[in-house]
Amino acid sequence: MAVGLGPLPVLHPVPGFELGIASAGIKRPGRKDIVLMRCAEGSTVTGVFTLNAFCAAPVILAKKRVLGSPRYLLTNTGNANAGTGEPGLAAAERTCARLAELAGVEQVQVLPFSTGVIGEPLPVEKIEAALPAALADLNENNWAAAASGIMTTDTLPKGASRQFQHEGVTVTVTGISKGAGMIKPNMATMLGYIATDAKVSQGVLQDLLRDAANKSFNRITIDGDTSTNDCCMLIATGQSSLPEITQASGTLFTALKQAVMEVSMELAQAIVRDGEGATKFVTVQVNGGATHQECLDVGYAVAHSPLIKTALFASDPNWGRILAAVGRAGVSQLDVSLIDVYLGDVCIASRGGRSPSYTEEQGSAVMAQAEIQIRIELGRGTASETIWTTDLSHEYVKINAEYRT
Amino acid sequence: MAVGLGPLPVLHPVPGFELGIASAGIKRPGRKDIVLMRCAEGSTVTGVFTLNAFCAAPVILAKKRVLGSPRYLLTNTGNANAGTGEPGLAAAERTCARLAELAGVEQVQVLPFSTGVIGEPLPVEKIEAALPAALADLNENNWAAAASGIMTTDTLPKGASRQFQHEGVTVTVTGISKGAGMIKPNMATMLGYIATDAKVSQGVLQDLLRDAANKSFNRITIDGDTSTNDCCMLIATGQSSLPEITQASGTLFTALKQAVMEVSMELAQAIVRDGEGATKFVTVQVNGGATHQECLDVGYAVAHSPLIKTALFASDPNWGRILAAVGRAGVSQLDVSLIDVYLGDVCIASRGGRSPSYTEEQGSAVMAQAEIQIRIELGRGTASETIWTTDLSHEYVKINAEYRT
């Protein structure tokens, strides 16, 4: 049911970044469930991780080790190694240690990532047995296979790629992601990996990833639940012949930032488009806020409202539900007489009530589309925020309630 | 589909409080859609109202007028008079003015309440035409008819009643409520009316209602959406021969508070039991918090999680989803190693992972029940909070998405 999501675009290889896929048979024999990534020596590696206090064992390890000199990212699907306590941590360490041994690096240079069933022991032996094949498969041209390899119940693989020229040198930014999938008994996990051959200092790369994630991965919501396993990694291999970027300024930095932003946004939106049971791709834009936070409060109140989400599913221009969500968002001293609400280009509400010019036909025409924008003008200031989400369909309930039957 | 909600209990009349029901034919000819309540002269009247900034016209008027000397509460169903701007305010004023004229009181002594379709003009003439019949019907024995009269798409009427003795005198507390119903294009509205024949000063009565509402009506959630029309009223007619309660202390106050609390709780829980599409009645209890706020944050994160609500619908003991919701509730410095989670009496998680003693069979047995308690022990302090909610079913999506078909 993915909304407006087509086949993978061309994913340009990133010099110094190789990917290898193998099968450990964690859930099913023969399934490609191991994705290994190798960063060239001297790469800069950064990550952003779930804020969930119950974060999974691999997240605890990856967060700690990203500050060292990572060389390998080891991802398995089929088992999230979450809610597994101390034994889960030991299991993640064992797989990393085995890979380090085979690859001739330090154990702390391997970062683990897991997605899948929670609360079940990680099948360490199966993963260890698949590592030689994953290492043998390492190749710069494996992005598309890796995009499929990290999928759980995603219906389509997700990838994005950009190239730009700087002083005659081509710089590449390529990434893959996986989104909200549900495996018994499980929760949604988002994983993202983006690599570039630019050379970037640790501090600049970390800020760049944080900015990009804040405008993309941190602005999407399917159902408001945050996974225990969410991670997004940004790797700069430094294989390009251009000089190192050590400051967040200059034309090279600006071009790189633009490319990373675009790749992040495309990957994040792909996750929403392939959201569980999604039949609509919804952009909630809040303008005219006194602060960014109040724009986000209003945006999330709208994006998380089950009443609005079911109306979107039904293609019903139920503007009253949107006003009610704006009104309960907790914005202090909200003057409803200043607020305008638009569905697409149609003004549905102004000055606290239905817009005089609005007709049900206009609203229905917008709601019938697969991609819908809800725009809220608060009239309080200059801050803006945009959030992407989906509708709430029968299929969502079915996927999340009935997977046993 | 109401969970554990039977026929109305005996609703004892409250001396000095009369109810009259009539038909204005707002949505359908012949439907009883007007409920009028008359408070004896000298009654103390208090109310708590929706915090939604987009509150409806009747709420704006009732909030203002409750501070005067209200004598009549005029409720209509079938039209919420919300999102109607200035004309809506004028319409509400007109119906109150007409009633005041017929009843021989000041216009500001009439408080309006509306629930039903939003964004459509209030049919003032129809309501005015029904007022004489409503006045003629006023009677202390009309509670049950009024409980049915305020229903929208509630499947059952909701009422509760308590009596207690003080120095040989019987004191009565009786109330009715209506809950989450959906009428095109509409949102859930909660209305509650509780009356007692005790004599209580304004300040004490206001605090009593606030306390009672905070522990009952403000602790229930179906889908996290707050209506534009929510109101709960508490009326003390003072017809009892007992002395006026002017302080929040003493045996009479304590007995009255207990009765008001019990009636509020029964009415609030009845709303959840009759929640849209509800197949489960769920109690979320959070103990051991450092503050009440963090208990509420955790409780609502659990109660609003679509992943948990769909698992409840499926009777699936998906403890990982509960841990994930606790973990993302935004409690600062949450030490997951101190947290225990119980489903009923079964410890499902302890020290950040699955409880060693837990078996899927134990969890499934609890989840198969229609009434389920989720108890979370934070291990940080002594604060506790309890929230009541429902599951998220196919029927919820159907009611809220497909009522046009």
Side-chain angles (χ1 to χ4, degrees):
Chain A
M1 317 241 296
V3 184
L5 192 62
L8 277 179
V10 172
L11 300 178
H12 305 289
V14 176
F17 195 80
E18 298 162 284
L19 309 98
I21 296 89
S23 174
I26 293 173
K27 285 200 67 184
R28 281 201 307 274
R31 165 149 189 176
K32 302 284 191 186
D33 49 15
I34 299 290
V35 174
L36 185 63
M37 301 175 192
R38 174 161 63 195
C39 319
E41 203 154 6
S43 291
T44 315
V45 180
T46 57
V48 288
F49 301 92
T50 180
L51 297 174
N52 197 308
F54 277 103
C55 65
V59 176
I60 294 171
L61 276 189
K63 266 172 96 163
K64 201 183 306 175
R65 294 182 175 178
V66 73
L67 301 170
S69 305
R71 291 293 311 284
Y72 288 88
L73 314 183
L74 171 59
T75 304
N76 72 273
T77 66
N79 185 306
N81 195 9
T84 46
E86 286 294 331
L89 216 50
E93 278 175 344
R94 271 178 60 201
T95 60
C96 293
R98 178 66 184 141
L99 179 67
E101 194 181 345
L102 291 169
V105 298
E106 298 294 318
Q107 181 181 338
V108 293
Q109 293 183 287
V110 181
L111 274 51
F113 302 86
S114 297
T115 176
V117 184
I118 82 159
E120 294 187 8
L122 190 72
V124 175
E125 288 74 18
K126 285 184 179 179
I127 294 173
E128 286 182 344
L131 295 179
L135 280 164
D137 192 48
L138 284 169
N139 190 300
E140 289 179 359
N141 294 304
N142 261 342
W143 280 99
S148 295
I150 61 173
M151 286 167 62
T152 49
T153 54
D154 303 61
T155 69
L156 288 170
K158 299 163 183 71
S161 195
R162 293 289 185 279
Q163 289 187 318
F164 65 91
Q165 300 274 328
H166 184 81
E167 293 175 0
V169 178
T170 298
V171 177
T172 301
V173 177
T174 296
I176 56 176
S177 66
K178 72 160 289 270
M182 201 58 45
I183 305 173
K184 164 196 170 285
N186 193 13
M187 63 203 48
T189 289
M190 187 223 102
L191 295 177
Y193 305 92
I194 304 171
T196 177
D197 54 342
K199 192 167 181 62
V200 191
S201 73
Q202 181 79 31
V204 171
L205 197 69
Q206 180 67 52
D207 289 349
L208 181 55
L209 176 59
R210 195 174 295 126
D211 281 359
N214 273 343
K215 291 288 174 201
S216 58
F217 299 108
N218 289 341
R219 291 291 178 274
I220 59 175
T221 177
I222 310 293
D223 51 22
D225 274 306
T226 307
S227 156
T228 51
N229 289 54
D230 289 345
C231 298
C232 181
M233 306 301 296
L234 176 60
I235 299 98
T237 65
Q239 300 293 295
S240 147
S241 58
L242 292 166
E244 183 175 9
I245 302 173
T246 56
Q247 292 196 330
S249 60
T251 53
L252 177 54
F253 170 78
T254 305
L256 178 68
K257 179 173 179 173
Q258 173 75 13
V260 170
M261 280 292 184
E262 287 181 17
V263 167
S264 300
M265 197 69 96
E266 196 170 325
L267 293 176
Q269 293 190 1
I271 290 172
V272 174
R273 292 176 186 282
D274 200 15
E276 289 175 334
T279 74
K280 306 277 184 178
F281 177 75
V282 185
T283 302
V284 182
Q285 188 180 355
V286 183
N287 298 328
T291 63
H292 285 275
Q293 189 56 51
E294 72 183 33
C295 293
L296 290 175
D297 290 344
V298 168
Y300 282 117
V302 170
H304 288 156
S305 162
L307 292 179
I308 295 173
K309 290 167 96 80
T310 47
L312 286 162
F313 171 52
S315 299
D316 175 15
N318 197 322
W319 54 274
R321 293 183 182 176
I322 300 174
L323 290 196
V326 173
R328 73 171 166 82
V331 176
S332 76
Q333 315 239 303
L334 185 66
D335 182 351
V336 301
S337 75
L338 298 177
I339 296 176
D340 293 331
V341 180
Y342 291 81
L343 261 185
D345 292 331
V346 177
C347 182
I348 56 174
S350 60
R351 306 193 54 201
R354 177 159 54 181
S355 168
S357 64
Y358 175 71
T359 65
E360 179 94 350
E361 289 64 37
Q362 293 175 319
S364 295
V366 177
M367 290 295 265
Q369 297 163 16
E371 308 213 359
I372 296 169
Q373 188 195 52
I374 299 172
R375 177 159 62 88
I376 298 147
E377 300 283 346
L378 295 175
R380 294 161 57 90
T382 57
S384 288
E385 285 287 349
T386 303
I387 291 164
W388 294 272
T389 190
T390 61
D391 55 336
L392 172 57
S393 68
H394 286 301
E395 191 66 17
Y396 177 88
V397 176
K398 193 176 166 67
I399 293 170
N400 286 299
E402 296 193 344
Y403 48 79
R404 282 166 187 266
T405 56
Chain B
M1 317 244 292
V3 184
L5 192 61
L8 275 179
V10 172
L11 299 179
H12 306 289
V14 176
F17 195 81
E18 297 162 287
L19 309 98
I21 297 90
S23 174
I26 293 173
K27 284 200 68 183
R28 280 201 305 275
R31 164 149 189 176
K32 303 284 192 188
D33 49 14
I34 299 290
V35 174
L36 185 63
M37 301 175 193
R38 174 160 64 193
C39 320
E41 204 154 4
S43 291
T44 314
V45 180
T46 57
V48 288
F49 301 92
T50 180
L51 297 175
N52 198 308
F54 277 102
C55 66
V59 176
I60 294 171
L61 276 188
K63 266 171 95 164
K64 204 184 303 176
R65 294 181 175 180
V66 73
L67 301 171
S69 304
R71 291 291 312 284
Y72 289 87
L73 314 183
L74 171 59
T75 304
N76 72 272
T77 66
N79 185 307
N81 195 9
T84 47
E86 286 295 332
L89 216 50
E93 278 175 345
R94 273 179 58 201
T95 60
C96 292
R98 178 65 184 140
L99 179 69
E101 193 181 345
L102 291 169
V105 297
E106 298 295 318
Q107 181 181 337
V108 293
Q109 294 183 287
V110 181
L111 274 50
F113 303 86
S114 298
T115 176
V117 183
I118 81 159
E120 292 187 8
L122 191 72
V124 174
E125 289 74 17
K126 285 184 179 177
I127 294 172
E128 286 181 344
L131 294 178
L135 279 163
D137 192 48
L138 284 169
N139 190 299
E140 290 179 358
N141 294 303
N142 260 342
W143 280 100
S148 294
I150 60 172
M151 285 167 61
T152 49
T153 54
D154 303 62
T155 69
L156 287 169
K158 298 163 184 71
S161 195
R162 294 287 186 282
Q163 288 187 318
F164 65 91
Q165 301 274 326
H166 184 80
E167 292 173 2
V169 177
T170 298
V171 176
T172 301
V173 178
T174 297
I176 56 176
S177 66
K178 72 159 291 268
M182 202 59 44
I183 303 172
K184 164 194 172 283
N186 192 15
M187 62 203 48
T189 288
M190 187 223 101
L191 295 177
Y193 305 92
I194 303 170
T196 178
D197 54 342
K199 193 168 180 63
V200 191
S201 73
Q202 182 79 34
V204 171
L205 198 69
Q206 181 67 54
D207 289 349
L208 181 54
L209 176 60
R210 196 173 295 127
D211 281 359
N214 272 342
K215 290 289 175 200
S216 58
F217 299 108
N218 289 340
R219 291 291 178 275
I220 60 175
T221 177
I222 311 291
D223 51 21
D225 274 306
T226 308
S227 156
T228 51
N229 289 53
D230 290 345
C231 297
C232 182
M233 306 300 296
L234 175 60
I235 299 98
T237 65
Q239 299 293 295
S240 148
S241 58
L242 292 167
E244 183 177 9
I245 301 173
T246 56
Q247 292 197 328
S249 59
T251 54
L252 177 55
F253 170 79
T254 304
L256 178 67
K257 179 173 178 173
Q258 173 77 14
V260 170
M261 279 293 185
E262 286 180 18
V263 167
S264 301
M265 197 69 96
E266 196 170 325
L267 294 176
Q269 293 189 2
I271 290 171
V272 174
R273 291 177 187 283
D274 201 15
E276 289 174 333
T279 74
K280 305 277 182 176
F281 177 75
V282 184
T283 303
V284 182
Q285 188 181 354
V286 183
N287 297 328
T291 64
H292 285 275
Q293 190 55 53
E294 71 182 32
C295 292
L296 291 175
D297 291 343
V298 168
Y300 282 118
V302 170
H304 287 157
S305 161
L307 292 179
I308 295 173
K309 290 167 96 80
T310 47
L312 286 162
F313 171 54
S315 299
D316 175 15
N318 198 323
W319 54 274
R321 293 183 183 177
I322 300 174
L323 290 196
V326 174
R328 74 171 166 82
V331 176
S332 76
Q333 313 242 302
L334 186 66
D335 182 351
V336 300
S337 75
L338 299 176
I339 297 176
D340 293 330
V341 180
Y342 291 81
L343 261 185
D345 292 330
V346 177
C347 181
I348 55 173
S350 61
R351 306 192 53 199
R354 175 158 55 180
S355 167
S357 65
Y358 175 71
T359 65
E360 179 95 350
E361 289 64 36
Q362 293 175 320
S364 295
V366 176
M367 290 295 265
Q369 297 162 16
E371 309 212 359
I372 296 169
Q373 188 195 50
I374 299 171
R375 178 159 62 88
I376 297 148
E377 301 283 344
L378 294 177
R380 293 160 58 88
T382 58
S384 287
E385 287 287 349
T386 303
I387 291 163
W388 294 272
T389 191
T390 61
D391 56 336
L392 172 57
S393 68
H394 285 301
E395 192 67 15
Y396 177 89
V397 176
K398 192 175 168 69
I399 293 170
N400 286 299
E402 296 193 346
Y403 49 80
R404 284 166 185 266
T405 56

